[in-house]
Amino acid sequence: MIISRQKEFNDILKNLAENDIFIIGCGKCASKLHVGGEPEVLEMEKKLLTSKKNIVGWNVISSACNIKSWEEILSQNPAIGKAQALLVMSCGGGVSVISGCAEIQTYPALDTESLGGTCCEETVKEQCGLCGDCVTWMYGGICPVSRCAKSLLNGPCGGAIEGKCEVYDRPCGWDLIYEKLKKLKKLEYLEVFVAPKDHTRNGRRTI
Ligand code: SF4
Ligand code: SF4
């Protein structure tokens, strides 16, 4: 699941140069996180109308990052054809896919934070840093790239206080890794030196 949060409304508004706006929500991650599903789209519509914008229509498409064709979106709500601009309430992936198809200005309404998931109904953030070279098996299934603030691969920085990271207000990722490896009886993995990441394997470099 892609973790995202809504931008401040005033930040959205100050960038929206056009007047006739169509709002697109996303039925997947953004809906589950309550940042881009139908209730949030309707709330956005209300706020934009109050700010004197003309909302020509809205649609929550099943998955903003996976659209078959622009024609399919048009057929779901032809009012989109009257829009001067789109406001997309999805992660950056969805915004990019939609703006790649649309021939009008497209604005993101959300900020994409991390790759996470849900566990026992709870949303968990920053589970993967998209390094393209997954090594979590050596760390008890806990990603050191995303769960350690310094992305350290060979042990903690030593700055944690009572299990709290010295950089962010959250548990030290290396504390979690140690406890998990201990539980799994795999502490010997801590003896293995892990070479720096090969950043050419990072997918972002191949586009
Ligand atoms: S090691 Fe790399 S691919 Fe695996 S979870 Fe961490 S960032 Fe993602
Ligand atoms: S305190 Fe822990 S999580 Fe924070 S940077 Fe140091 S090792 Fe990483």
Side-chain angles (χ1 to χ4, degrees):
M1 174 187 278
I2 310 289
I3 309 292
S4 51
R5 60 169 192 272
Q6 273 192 26
K7 288 178 179 288
E8 292 293 326
F9 179 70
N10 284 340
D11 290 339
I12 295 173
L13 193 59
K14 79 172 180 239
N15 294 328
L16 273 182
E18 295 78 4
N19 197 46
D20 297 333
I21 311 293
F22 190 95
I23 307 170
I24 294 181
C26 174
K28 291 285 187 308
C29 312
S31 279
K32 287 201 178 72
L33 292 168
H34 307 291
V35 292
E38 186 171 324
E40 298 76 40
V41 166
L42 292 173
E43 183 61 28
M44 181 64 73
E45 179 185 39
K46 206 187 298 174
K47 285 183 181 169
L48 288 171
L49 286 171
T50 309
S51 305
K52 309 269 185 287
K53 292 289 180 188
N54 180 32
I55 306 304
V56 298
W58 60 270
N59 185 14
V60 177
I61 58 181
S62 72
S63 177
C65 65
N66 181 19
I67 59 178
K68 284 195 187 118
S69 66
W70 187 243
E71 287 64 38
E72 189 193 15
I73 293 181
L74 261 176
S75 71
Q76 288 172 6
N77 187 344
I80 200 169
K82 296 185 201 144
Q84 296 170 323
L86 304 176
L87 178 65
V88 182
M89 300 181 72
S90 78
C91 72
V95 178
S96 297
V97 166
I98 287 169
S99 68
C101 299
E103 291 189 352
I104 53 175
Q105 176 71 31
T106 305
Y107 295 95
L110 309 184
D111 285 323
T112 306
E113 285 183 336
S114 66
L115 187 54
T118 52
C119 178
C120 311
E121 303 290 317
E122 192 195 334
T123 300
V124 284
K125 300 180 176 183
E126 292 193 67
Q127 301 296 296
C128 170
L130 304 171
C131 77
D133 176 22
C134 197
V135 289
T136 51
W137 62 274
M138 294 182 68
Y139 302 91
I142 296 168
C143 170
V145 178
S146 56
R147 304 290 289 278
C148 167
K150 297 173 190 171
S151 297
L152 299 176
L153 298 178
N154 288 294
C157 67
I161 299 168
E162 291 177 2
K164 277 274 176 73
C165 174
E166 69 165 0
V167 181
Y168 299 124
D169 182 19
R170 66 183 193 193
C172 167
W174 267 98
D175 234 54
L176 302 175
I177 290 168
Y178 178 82
E179 290 303 329
K180 190 65 188 285
L181 286 175
K182 195 166 143 191
K183 203 166 163 187
L184 295 174
K185 299 190 172 39
K186 298 274 187 189
L187 280 175
E188 68 270 19
Y189 286 162
L190 295 176
E191 307 290 325
V192 181
F193 172 74
V194 180
K197 289 270 168 201
D198 174 359
H199 291 286
T200 61
R201 297 180 69 171
N202 178 324
R204 280 167 287 182
R205 301 278 172 115
T206 62
I207 56 172

